[in-house]
Amino acid sequence: HALLTGYNANGVFWDKVYAKGENILAGPIKIFYNNKELTTDKEKWVTKDKDLAIRKSFHSAPGLKLEVKHEYEFDGMCKTTLKFMPNKNQKVKDLYIDIPLKDSIAKYFHHTGFGIRSNPSKYIPQGKNVVWSLPYVPLRYPSYIWFGETFKGICFFTDMTPILFDNKSNIPSHQFIRNKNKVTLRIF
């Protein structure tokens, strides 16, 4: 009932994502490496069938190349595979994805918990800048997080826990950031 009904591929991810006929994004979804947005070098559609579409794209930042494969299924789900290829040994200061939703859509959030029946479902706090932050704790990374309103929203899930590059830096795993007319989910 609340599945996404369309994507506008642009860059690494999308600049429009539709739910129930409305673009719910407040801007493009972006990925940053060492505080710089990756640039798109090449993109192409590999497959366009009735039940599956596959898009490959290639991106770069100083010291890093990224290959992305999006597999869109008939039900609106998109599986994204990221392949990071550093040029050589790199010092990674930060690596994160920003997903900006319209403020009018971004009301609630839900993520997997850290034990049975412990999945938090809450309102996204009001305020400006970082309004919610989840500390990174090894083996307690929420592999699923959703935010939106009752019938429109976006979900991010992963099949693996990312390994922090520097576990002494107190980097959070997820944050909600409120600015102007958007709420951004930042995933580290």
Side-chain angles (χ1 to χ4, degrees):
H1 183 64
L3 288 176
L4 302 176
T5 55
Y7 299 86
N8 188 58
N10 188 358
V12 179
F13 297 103
W14 312 279
D15 61 1
K16 293 180 182 145
V17 173
Y18 293 91
K20 296 184 74 82
E22 178 185 358
N23 174 27
I24 61 175
L25 293 182
I29 298 174
K30 298 177 180 181
I31 188 167
F32 294 86
Y33 169 74
N34 288 345
N35 214 27
K36 295 192 184 317
E37 181 183 352
L38 274 74
T39 57
T40 302
D41 301 323
K42 182 180 173 187
E43 52 190 315
K44 63 182 177 179
W45 288 96
V46 178
T47 303
K48 286 185 177 181
D49 292 331
K50 290 180 185 178
D51 60 347
L52 178 68
I54 298 174
R55 176 180 174 254
K56 282 193 172 184
S57 57
F58 304 87
H59 314 273
S60 60
L64 178 73
K65 294 206 177 291
L66 172 65
E67 182 179 319
V68 180
K69 181 180 177 185
H70 293 291
E71 298 174 72
Y72 301 87
E73 298 205 6
F74 67 94
D75 63 0
M77 199 285 269
C78 177
K79 175 185 175 185
T80 301
T81 304
L82 306 173
K83 181 179 178 183
F84 294 95
M85 298 167 283
N87 292 346
K88 51 187 168 184
N89 289 340
Q90 296 289 314
K91 180 170 179 143
V92 179
K93 297 175 191 165
D94 55 36
L95 178 66
Y96 58 90
I97 298 170
D98 276 355
I99 304 173
L101 241 63
K102 293 177 181 174
D103 187 55
S104 60
I105 303 287
K107 296 178 182 178
Y108 318 112
F109 75 98
H110 175 262
H111 69 78
T112 51
F114 310 118
I116 193 165
R117 294 183 202 72
S118 66
N119 301 339
S121 295
K122 300 178 180 183
Y123 285 97
I124 297 173
Q126 294 298 314
K128 291 191 183 219
N129 299 319
V130 177
V131 295
W132 180 83
S133 189
L134 184 64
Y136 179 85
V137 177
L139 303 177
R140 291 181 60 141
Y141 184 88
S143 58
Y144 162 95
I145 188 165
W146 171 90
F147 73 124
E149 52 108 296
T150 306
F151 296 106
K152 299 173 188 170
I154 197 161
C155 171
F156 174 89
F157 55 96
T158 180
D159 66 351
M160 61 186 283
T161 301
I163 299 168
L164 272 184
F165 302 104
D166 170 10
N167 63 0
K168 298 175 187 170
S169 59
N170 295 321
I171 296 173
S173 65
H174 298 74
Q175 290 180 327
F176 283 117
I177 303 164
R178 277 192 186 274
N179 289 315
K180 298 181 183 171
N181 295 320
K182 67 182 176 182
V183 176
T184 299
L185 171 62
R186 179 164 289 169
I187 302 164
F188 292 90

